[in-house]
Amino acid sequence: QCCPGQNGGKNYVCPSAPPGWGAGRCEIEHKIIDCLAQGLNPSPKPPPLSPPPSSVDCPYGEVTTPCIIGADGNITQDCLLGSAGVSTVVSVDRLTVFQGARLVVARDSGVDVKVAASGITLHGELWAGCEGGASDAFMGKLLLEFVGDGAALLRSFVGHNMHESQLSEKGMLVTNTGRLELHGAPKESWHYLAANAEVGATQLILDASVDWQLGDEVVVGSTSTNREESEVAVISSVSGPMVSLQKPLTYPHKGDFTGRGARLNAPVGLRTHNVKLRGRMADGSDDNEAAAWQACFRLHSTCQAGRCQSTATVKAGCFGGHTLFLQHSQVHVEHAEFTNMGQNMVMARYPVHWHLAGNASGQYVRRSSMHNNFQRCTTVHGTADVLVAENVCHETFGHAFYLEDGIETGNTFQRNLVVNANPGAAVCSDFQGGGFLQLGPSGFWITNPDNSFLDNHVVGVGTGYWFTFPSSSSPSEGSRPGQCELAPGSRHSCSDAKYGAGGVFGPSRRYFDDLRHGYGPESWWTNQEQARTPVRLFRGNVVSGSHRGIYVDGRVFSSSDAFLSKDLPGGSIPCFGDGCPTCSGPLEGSFTWAPMTFNKSLHPRDRQYRYTANLFEDFYAAHILGYTQLDESRGLWVSGGVILFRGAVFLDTRVVAAAFMDLTGGCARASQEAPPGFTVAFEDSLFLSGPSSDAFFEIYDAGLYVARSRWATTPGTGAQFFVAKPKVAFGGNGNPIYFHESGPLGVFAQDSHSEYFQWALELPGVVNGTSGPLLNIANFEPLAWQSPYIRGSYVYSTDMFGIGSREPCIIAADHASSNPEWGKMAILVSGQKACASYLYETPLRFSCGAAFGGYGLWCGDGVPLSQCPGVVNDARLWYQGLHPWIDAHPPSVGSQPQATTAAEPPSTPQAAEAPAKVTPLSSSAAGFECSFPVPPPVSTPFFWDITCRRGDLGCNADGQHMECRWCNFGLFPSCPSPPPAAGGDSEDDDDKVSEAVREVMWGCVGLLTC
């Protein structure tokens, strides 16, 4: 008895409770069986349940009794299904393998088995082949077909709970005692072209030999900005790496990139396998089933303008099969094909789906294909440590590979190919449009960075790799006291909160807070800080023919909208309005990522933090051009992140990179050499322009550091292209683009034998430093010239981009000047002394550290910002020590602060201390100093700004000296609103301000008038 004594002494029995649960209370509205904890006396911190064992056994030879399956579809004991040379068809309403029974499909090459059912439930085991290669694999033909009509849709829609009859509606449910083993005939999953395939070609030359066969289907990925140039071909013969096709190609596909450039070639992926799982949409014939997907595509197109003409019609026309793997199930799938799977606009119904499975170590889906499906390809939901590898995902709706609730850790996504994920409507970010401009779907929707992503390739999506984490939970998601938001100034800022920057969305919070599931509310797994966690591994990933490459921003507040309804069309799926919890926030700065090292096994209140950086290795982005909003089309956009890109390659992207500040206010470094506060750094990276290119780098709020990197133009590059431009209508005074040992390809002698650049020197038509004129560096035309801060928009090179004298140089904004070699509306400042003078007279905008206002307890353990390990408290100190500054303008005594060494991590939490005093910068030659009738606290940073004038942007520091200013976002959340007399439009007004008001304004807000 699960809940003795509850509800007046009565026990309520769940009719389909999992085995061993006994009596309990059914909470359908919460989508779980919620047996009350009273009477269970659980231990407060039970250890996590042991992971299920890997598949090492094989039942063939043990199971020989032929299956006799009755009309009820119940299998209660071991049996063997099928035999060579015989076509076996099983058609039942529901097929159920009971616990302890094994349904084994004969694996000989002549076996042909079809199982058609409205639902398959595995309390026991289903086997088709075993691990171990061709000798152990299933070599026959197996079709598992899921059938269902409109009534099934209603049951599936209403039954989003733990009742097995609903969970298996037109799909397969593997329960907590079930096991699924599908091991199809081994075949190579996908490869790259090794030679160009032109229009009309009937042969593909791949980079390796393949074992594909006559009649197999492949998809050839687009190598342009047009995703429609990805096309399906049917094989007529194979000889080693040479694949002959039954019909000529319609579009050209690149295959002549060599060396490190080979990942820019077209991917070719296998779509067909001998083990197939299919949702029946028509009469079961291959042609009509394929046509049904096209019909769904046409229906779904009515939902792409922020509305659906007929939600019920779309759901019914896109109602495929699905799989669902519960906690403690065992799943090993390889060389299988999933098609017409997924139930569009119905949550929890996907082609491959681990659902609240917890620790699933050793489980996998690999070397399989998922094509022409109705919702996603693979969803890992509330699950850790699964392997998703070498799969081909072609034509689906919504985010393709999906980490759902943000709790998922330790999963590995390796060498998966995504081709054409179409806008969906299960969650708001699946589509494109809306006031906040949803730019989905993504190839990989990443809500937890503690996972690994290796050698994946994405073609034809909205965003290749979208990072957005549950940095807090909305009230509907069960937020806890102490959860916080990273952005200073927000209502529940981590600057003031004690707990961490993380959360868990959706059912995972409710399910894994329950101690019976092996975790509980005190477990580290339910107390993660995703927005402070560095990515576990991100290497060798590619995106092409898409709107954006990497996007770190676009905060969401839930993994699902309110959808449960007993009526169709019912609910609020699709939820298109910007107010929907699953809609990503404004495109810039709605989210931030501040990676740190900490002991995640500790409770957040006991953790200590040290800044670190994310390392993204060998990332490739090509042919990135927006098809919804051009201005948001970039190879990468990063809000915070502190990411070092090493060995990256960008080709024909409209803009390579732009970045937003780290909203925690910390001045972290992406590398040892990079300036503090610059959120993105590139090392050993290559930038190649193309017909779509407008600029490599956008000058904006966060600085970009480019070291030991090269760029070149390729044929078709337009005259509008420049290496750097300000973000459109940017007002200036941002952090600059900083170049070190970087310049045009071929200028540096080592390029000819560099592992990173040598291959690019051999590209036909490439204009580089040895074969043509220097490419224009900067175009400042897009600046908002009315801003008083335009001097803060510039690019800086330590060595004149490797050209000529190799002196330091600055290319800066100047409305009246243009240099045909260097840029438009730009001046060239060259030489050590000239650069030092320019920098000295140009106030720098560092939105971090002391210059950001000295936020306090953002580290989460009481360590003030000035002592947070691994951070530079005042980034201005770093810049003042730059060569050539230090040689040309030695600091006057007392006029500049001294750099300090970051402290080591404290052994115990320390009490908050005020940040060190920041002495104002001054020009002794001009005799200017900041003086105040009422001195501000030492924690208030201020500096002399000769560009600040009355009526212009910025904040006055004391109401008298207009040039002594301190810019801030506004009132702190805890600040009382000042009385009307606290601010004035003239200096005389300041005399009327009471001392009490001055204390409020200085001590809390940090300024007098804005």
Side-chain angles (χ1 to χ4, degrees), residues 75-87:
I75 298 175
T76 58
Q77 60 185 4
D78 293 352
C79 67
L80 185 68
L81 182 64
S83 60
V86 177
S87 178

Side-chain angles (χ1 to χ4, degrees), residues 149-233:
D149 53 15
L153 170 59
L154 175 61
R155 291 191 298 269
S156 180
F157 185 71
V158 174
H160 184 69
N161 51 56
M162 297 294 284
H163 290 223
E164 72 177 51
S165 60
Q166 278 78 27
L167 287 176
S168 64
E169 196 66 60
K170 201 175 182 181
M172 175 186 291
L173 171 66
V174 185
T175 72
N176 60 336
T177 60
R179 185 171 186 175
L180 177 64
E181 301 283 345
L182 299 178
H183 306 274
K187 290 184 178 181
E188 295 289 322
S189 182
W190 65 277
H191 282 280
Y192 287 106
L193 286 181
N196 288 339
E198 304 297 343
V199 174
T202 57
Q203 190 175 76
L204 305 175
I205 301 177
L206 305 180
D207 61 2
S209 296
V210 292
D211 46 14
W212 301 340
Q213 298 174 345
L214 169 67
D216 280 344
E217 287 184 357
V218 295
V219 56
V220 187
S222 170
T223 50
S224 75
T225 57
N226 184 3
R227 51 172 266 151
E228 300 303 323
E229 292 186 2
S230 295
E231 55 186 310
V232 175

